[in-house]
Amino acid sequence: MDSEESSRPEPAYLPPTVERSAKILVVGPFGVGKTTLVGSVSEIEPLRTEEVMTQAGAGIDDLRGLESKTTTTVAMDFGRITLSDTLVLYLFGAPGQRRFWDLWEGLVVGAVGLLVLVDTRRLDDSFEVLDQLEERGLPFAVAVNQFPDSGRFSDEDIREALDLLPTTPVVHCDARDPQSSLQALIALVSHVGNRSLQETPA
Ligand SMILES: Nc1nc2c(ncn2[C@@H]2O[C@H](COP(=O)(O)OP(=O)(O)OP(=O)(O)O)[C@@H](O)[C@H]2O)c(=O)[nH]1
Ligand SMILES: [Mg+2]
């Protein structure tokens, strides 16, 4: 168990005040920080399906700026965060390697919205992701995961570069930081609106 996990409070049960739940899918290209975000913000021990990357990905998976990355998600991440006294989010993280994108079909079922993580050092990788989402019509927010050598881009720069609608929220975050990740989720939930949030069974 690492220090991040051992310091996590372990609320196994939902507070009795929780009335609504929402499934959120965190998507984005390879290595953008999806597993990191789900793990940092989750109040329960996150479920991870990491496998060590092999030579099969050499020349396919772009590891520039991710020199310390040795594993990749092969199925999904799962976490939970109680956002307010009455609302809980179930977080699903998608695998980012292109060859696993078919799994997104299943993972997205029941999701009320998507958080799209973006790495400005490799913005091109995000175009294909956004194309997929626009076909689906589900609400999404864009969270720019800030790396030390990312450079500074304004929301407007990001909006223009990714050709986003004026209504799509753009936030900047550090996926390693629980509070920062939480702010990204709050931006998404505000955008999704209360209408889509499910009543939890009594
Ligand atoms: N500096 C910095 N590093 C980060 C941040 N988020 C993630 N990392 C690092 O970047 C790498 C990628 O993180 P992952 O969370 O595995 O990315 P992923 O999107 O889940 O990757 P796949 O599942 O393989 O697509 C890891 O080595 C993280 O430690 C961040 O906000 N800042
Ligand atoms: Mg991952």
PDB file of all heavy atoms in Angstrom, residues 35 50 73 77, ligand 2:
ATOM      1  N   THR A  35      -6.125   7.329 -14.717  1.00  0.00           N
ATOM      2  CA  THR A  35      -5.993   6.471 -13.530  1.00  0.00           C
ATOM      3  C   THR A  35      -5.555   7.299 -12.327  1.00  0.00           C
ATOM      4  O   THR A  35      -6.045   7.110 -11.208  1.00  0.00           O
ATOM      5  CB  THR A  35      -4.976   5.346 -13.810  1.00  0.00           C
ATOM      6  OG1 THR A  35      -5.463   4.570 -14.904  1.00  0.00           O
ATOM      7  CG2 THR A  35      -4.777   4.450 -12.600  1.00  0.00           C
ATOM      8  N   GLU A  50      -4.157  -2.262 -13.944  1.00  0.00           N
ATOM      9  CA  GLU A  50      -2.904  -1.867 -14.602  1.00  0.00           C
ATOM     10  C   GLU A  50      -2.093  -3.097 -14.995  1.00  0.00           C
ATOM     11  O   GLU A  50      -1.988  -4.052 -14.219  1.00  0.00           O
ATOM     12  CB  GLU A  50      -2.059  -1.028 -13.644  1.00  0.00           C
ATOM     13  CG  GLU A  50      -2.674   0.296 -13.268  1.00  0.00           C
ATOM     14  CD  GLU A  50      -2.766   1.249 -14.445  1.00  0.00           C
ATOM     15  OE1 GLU A  50      -1.727   1.749 -14.905  1.00  0.00           O
ATOM     16  OE2 GLU A  50      -3.893   1.480 -14.910  1.00  0.00           O
ATOM     17  N   THR A  73      -3.665   1.063 -18.220  1.00  0.00           N
ATOM     18  CA  THR A  73      -4.966   0.481 -17.869  1.00  0.00           C
ATOM     19  C   THR A  73      -5.418  -0.445 -18.993  1.00  0.00           C
ATOM     20  O   THR A  73      -5.442  -0.030 -20.156  1.00  0.00           O
ATOM     21  CB  THR A  73      -6.007   1.604 -17.668  1.00  0.00           C
ATOM     22  OG1 THR A  73      -5.509   2.509 -16.693  1.00  0.00           O
ATOM     23  CG2 THR A  73      -7.353   1.044 -17.227  1.00  0.00           C
ATOM     24  N   ASP A  77     -10.723   1.769 -14.501  1.00  0.00           N
ATOM     25  CA  ASP A  77     -10.505   2.182 -13.114  1.00  0.00           C
ATOM     26  C   ASP A  77     -11.884   2.386 -12.499  1.00  0.00           C
ATOM     27  O   ASP A  77     -12.850   2.692 -13.205  1.00  0.00           O
ATOM     28  CB  ASP A  77      -9.774   3.541 -13.047  1.00  0.00           C
ATOM     29  CG  ASP A  77      -8.519   3.587 -13.892  1.00  0.00           C
ATOM     30  OD1 ASP A  77      -7.622   2.778 -13.629  1.00  0.00           O
ATOM     31  OD2 ASP A  77      -8.450   4.416 -14.818  1.00  0.00           O
TER      32      ASP A  77
HETATM   33 MG    MG B   2      -5.092   4.483 -16.900  1.00  0.00          MG
END
